Amino acid sequence: MHSNGLFLKDVAGFLGSYYTGLAIMNAVAALILWRKKGQPGWAVTWAVFAGVMMILASLALSGSESLVPSLPLSARTLVNTLSGPMLYTLGTTALFTVLFVFRRFFVQPMAAWTVFNVALVLMGLSMADENFAAIVMKPDNVPIVGLVFLLAFFTWVATKQAVVNDDRIRQGLPPMEKLDDEKVLVWPDLVYTELICMVAVSAFLLVWAIFLPAPLEEPASSVKTPNPSKAPWYFLGLQEMLVYFDPWYAGVVLPSLVVFGLMAMPYLDFNKKGNGYYSIEERKFSYLVYQFGFFELWITLIILGTFLRGPNWNFYGPFEYWTPYKVEVLNNVDLPQMFWVNLLDQPLPRAPQGAGTLTQIGYIFLREAPGLALLGGYLLLLPPLLAVTVFRGYFAKMGFIRYMIMANLMLLMLSLPLKMILRWTLNLKYLVSIPEFSLNF
Amino acid sequence: MAERKKMSVSEILAAARAQAGGGEAAAPAVEPAGGGAADAVDSAADTPVVEKPAAKAAPKPTAGGARPSVADIMAMARANKAAADAPAQSPTKSAPKPTAKPAEKPAAAKAAKPVAAKAAVARDTASILAAARAGAKPGPVSKADAPPRPAKPAAVKPAVAADHAAKPAAAKAVPPRPAKPAAKKSDSEEDRRGFLEIALGSFMALGFTALSVTGGLFSLGLARFFFPNVLAEPPSRFKVGFKEGFPAGKVETKFVAQYGVWVVNSDVAGEQQIYALKTVCTHLGCTPNWLEAEQKFKCPCHGSGFYKDGVNFEGPAPRPLERYAIRISDDGQLEVDKSKTFQEELGQWAESESYVTV
């Protein structure tokens, strides 16, 4: 449907320089490794890889459909058909689990470098696809591509230090941070560093502003909403949350709870270890909870919202054309409907005509009884239940109030992925649905 | 300053030598000239040797008048200079003049300051320097100087009179003198400024009252903006055409851009109705699009979907789209009234105003 010819000519120059950049990067890496004389095998590997990248660069510069390196069409179609919000979420969870469990392997510089190169080459190959390039190279999406790599890098650095520290602590040595206090003199060291950074960042932003102009659109109109209509990239996680919840909950309660929870963290934390140095072993629970909240519930949702949500907020595969006519059957049903109509095979409880307000409210409570019971059980019964089972030690150390706050914050955080899964699997819209008072959960 | 710089080394030396020979008596004599009135009192108290001549000389210039003329001051300044140039000549001769001069200087300072004071001070700076270099008493900056100082610039007529009267007494017992004029002067100061303060104070009060009244009125004016008397909107009642223009099963989208309304002719519960749907998504207020092929309204913001009758079925929208009031006007055209909305979940779609039967 979409001819690649013109597009490939447009993108050839970029791809050529992209692969050339990769080649230079790896050649420099090979040179450094060779000079260090530690790993000659890796040095040769990266030198060869740089040569391959140069070949890819020349192929890409040709701009012809048969030569530009790209993923085979069958692979792209496969990715498109397989991808969906469910698989995306499960996939990212699995990926993070693998990265966490095998962190000792991934913190090795050569392993990380390999992963980095593979990711860059895959991205280069994907960018020969018009639909992928249209999303990734859109000026407002470029920062998110950068964000992915930056986050990966910084997480890697921190994990590496944590792994080293964990090893040292096991051997009875002090953590690395205790050996080197990283003291820097304000003048001249810090001030000069800041000056250089300032100049470099200004230059970078200038170049960015020149080459990627702001994606300005037509004047706003209250009756015309762009399709898809996306929040600023840093709010895309929030926008994704809004798909699964009523606005008051996903737009007001949950974000406030995020802020409140972050503020409460130091008061809930009773673990005195891991103060001032990186460590995973010493604070596994805190680490996992935080990384889950940050990566799973914020970053991956930003990426999902940016790259995979298209017109009508439908889910599109990375190589899929964003047609506004994509039909997705999303016949969502509220829990009362499921319970009363589908399960018990009787109409929803409805107050008789002309009933008083109290009677109506009573009927509403009857109608929503299953949802309210579920919710009450989740938020009221589960914390004590956890306190005597999984979190027995935590409960003893934290005391009642701190434990309850922690448990409720955690359950509310988990309510987001749970609701998402319920939506994808059961097409459940709301557990409690009281549109009469704009109360839905 | 400039004067001081102009002095050559030889001059300084000469002065120093003269100083050394002249003894200490010269120092106080020279000093007050540069230091001003305060110093005169100070040095007089410090050195009883000069006190007597000073006391004797005091009446002389003051007798000349409460306010010495510019010429007088100039003359005195010149005399001072002479004293400075040759301080050793005769302490008794040179001393009276400078000491006398400061005595009346408070009075003169204000009146003749621009010309006389400046010249006198300037010339004398050099001699002070000379004296200082010779190891005499250092410059006039001392704690004892502080109290009389503030009184100096505020010298006014009544103060001069007081000065005048106080002088003989001061000659006998010098130390208490500075206190009196200072006290009197500050009194007079308060009298004058008091008026200003009262005036300004009330102006201030007036100003702040005016400010708060203006602020209050301004806030009220701002609040008024919440109730505009002209709505920059199309009229809430408008005609959309005759019934025949809306065939069965059709969603008319041409009024969306101007009025934000879909006019739909559809089968609702076995009855063919024409109704006007509000183009605002019940989730977060975006404008959904009508997808003809899929026969649904679809919101681009969070993917909410609505059937042709406005009932929500997919995405997060918690309730159906709202209806506007619609009726057949007198000329037979359909008229939509946006001032009234009907919500399904409240059972309002059953109301006859919310639709027109075909």
Side-chain angles (χ1 to χ4, degrees), chain B residues 1-7 11 15 30-35 73-86 101 105 115-131:
Chain B
M1 277 293 186
E3 211 77 358
R4 190 185 289 177
K5 272 176 191 161
K6 269 176 201 163
M7 228 169 92
E11 265 177 308
V30 170
E31 213 182 304
I73 291 160
M74 290 294 281
M76 274 187 287
R78 250 171 252 128
N80 261 352
K81 180 73 196 320
D85 286 343
K101 191 212 146 213
K105 210 189 168 186
V115 194
K118 227 187 234 170
V121 171
R123 278 175 186 261
D124 289 332
T125 314
S127 36
I128 287 170
L129 188 66

Side-chain angles (χ1 to χ4, degrees), chain A residues 16-34:
Chain A
S17 44
Y18 179 84
Y19 287 120
T20 314
L22 269 181
I24 292 170
M25 193 177 83
N26 277 292
V28 171
L31 186 68
I32 291 170
L33 281 174
W34 187 260

Side-chain angles (χ1 to χ4, degrees), chain A residues 57-372:
Chain A
S58 49
L59 285 177
L61 280 171
S62 72
S64 90
E65 204 168 334
S66 53
L67 288 178
V68 174
S70 64
L71 288 174
L73 194 64
S74 55
R76 282 184 257 167
T77 321
L78 187 72
V79 168
N80 281 344
T81 40
L82 281 181
S83 58
M86 187 80 175
L87 188 91
Y88 173 80
T89 310
L90 291 180
T92 45
T93 314
L95 181 70
F96 287 135
T97 314
V98 166
L99 287 176
F100 175 72
V101 172
F102 299 103
R103 59 182 182 278
R104 208 161 285 280
F105 169 75
F106 285 108
V107 295
Q108 299 170 72
M110 283 307 111
W113 189 253
T114 312
V115 172
F116 180 51
N117 269 312
V118 168
L120 285 177
V121 170
L122 274 179
M123 207 172 102
L125 293 177
S126 304
M127 262 189 290
D129 183 273
E130 189 169 4
N131 299 317
F132 186 87
I135 305 164
V136 172
M137 290 159 104
K138 201 178 170 221
D140 26 358
N141 291 349
V142 171
I144 297 134
V145 179
L147 170 133
V148 173
F149 285 103
L150 270 182
L151 259 180
F153 173 70
F154 284 119
T155 311
W156 179 78
V157 170
T159 313
K160 185 168 186 286
Q161 277 167 293
V163 167
V164 171
N165 281 343
D166 286 342
D167 284 348
R168 291 178 63 88
I169 289 163
R170 204 173 296 129
Q171 293 161 17
L173 297 166
M176 292 297 280
E177 283 87 345
K178 292 268 154 74
L179 303 181
D180 170 26
D181 62 356
E182 296 182 330
K183 190 174 142 188
V184 174
L185 294 173
V186 170
W187 175 266
D189 299 8
L190 180 67
V191 176
Y192 264 63
T193 314
E194 283 174 348
L195 177 77
I196 292 164
C197 286
M198 196 180 79
V199 173
V201 169
S202 306
F204 173 69
L205 288 180
L206 209 66
V207 172
W208 188 343
I210 290 166
F211 283 101
L212 294 174
L216 300 179
E217 292 173 20
E218 60 196 299
S221 159
S222 63
V223 289
K224 197 169 179 193
T225 310
N227 193 9
S229 197
K230 291 197 178 183
W233 64 267
Y234 42 84
F235 277 150
L236 278 171
L238 212 64
Q239 192 172 3
E240 188 63 25
M241 265 155 58
L242 280 162
V243 174
Y244 306 98
F245 289 103
D246 195 69
W248 71 266
Y249 185 68
V252 180
V253 177
L254 266 184
S256 314
L257 277 175
V258 170
V259 176
F260 175 74
L262 286 172
M263 290 196 306
M265 245 180 219
Y267 303 97
L268 298 176
D269 185 23
F270 58 83
N271 190 350
K272 295 259 188 286
K273 290 179 190 163
N275 200 344
Y277 56 91
Y278 290 100
S279 167
I280 291 176
E281 295 288 346
E282 286 193 340
R283 23 191 331 118
K284 233 176 197 165
F285 177 73
S286 323
Y287 177 83
L288 283 177
V289 170
Y290 184 83
Q291 293 294 57
F292 179 77
F294 183 60
F295 274 120
E296 276 291 298
L297 301 185
W298 197 246
I299 299 300
T300 56
L301 289 187
I302 286 179
I303 294 166
L304 169 66
T306 310
F307 299 124
L308 304 173
R309 287 290 186 183
N312 297 328
W313 212 250
N314 282 328
F315 190 95
Y316 290 81
F319 307 110
E320 201 171 336
Y321 176 66
W322 279 17
T323 165
Y325 301 105
K326 178 174 179 170
V327 180
E328 229 174 278
V329 186
L330 293 167
N331 207 339
N332 300 328
V333 186
D334 291 326
L335 186 70
Q337 179 86 14
M338 282 185 187
F339 181 78
W340 295 106
V341 181
N342 301 4
L343 196 70
L344 300 183
D345 206 14
Q346 51 177 261
L348 283 174
R350 190 181 280 264
Q353 284 288 324
T357 318
L358 277 178
T359 327
Q360 280 185 354
I361 290 173
Y363 268 96
I364 287 172
F365 269 106
L366 178 65
R367 188 184 73 202
E368 304 301 333
L372 288 171

Side-chain angles (χ1 to χ4, degrees), chain A residues 222-223 225-229 239 242-243 245-247 312-314 325-328 330-332 429-430 435-436 440, chain B residues 256-257 260 283-284 286-287 289 291 294 296 298-303 307 312-319 345-346:
Chain A
S222 63
V223 289
T225 310
N227 193 9
S229 197
Q239 192 172 3
L242 280 162
V243 174
F245 289 103
D246 195 69
N312 297 328
W313 212 250
N314 282 328
Y325 301 105
K326 178 174 179 170
V327 180
E328 229 174 278
L330 293 167
N331 207 339
N332 300 328
K429 190 198 246 168
Y430 292 122
E436 291 89 342
N440 304 285
Chain B
V256 173
H283 180 233
L284 274 175
C286 294
T287 306
N289 300 305
L291 304 180
E294 290 140 57
K296 68 179 179 188
K298 184 78 175 167
C299 181
C301 288
H302 304 91
Y307 291 125
N312 52 325
F313 71 99
E314 65 177 354
R319 53 195 182 85
E345 72 276 10
L346 301 180

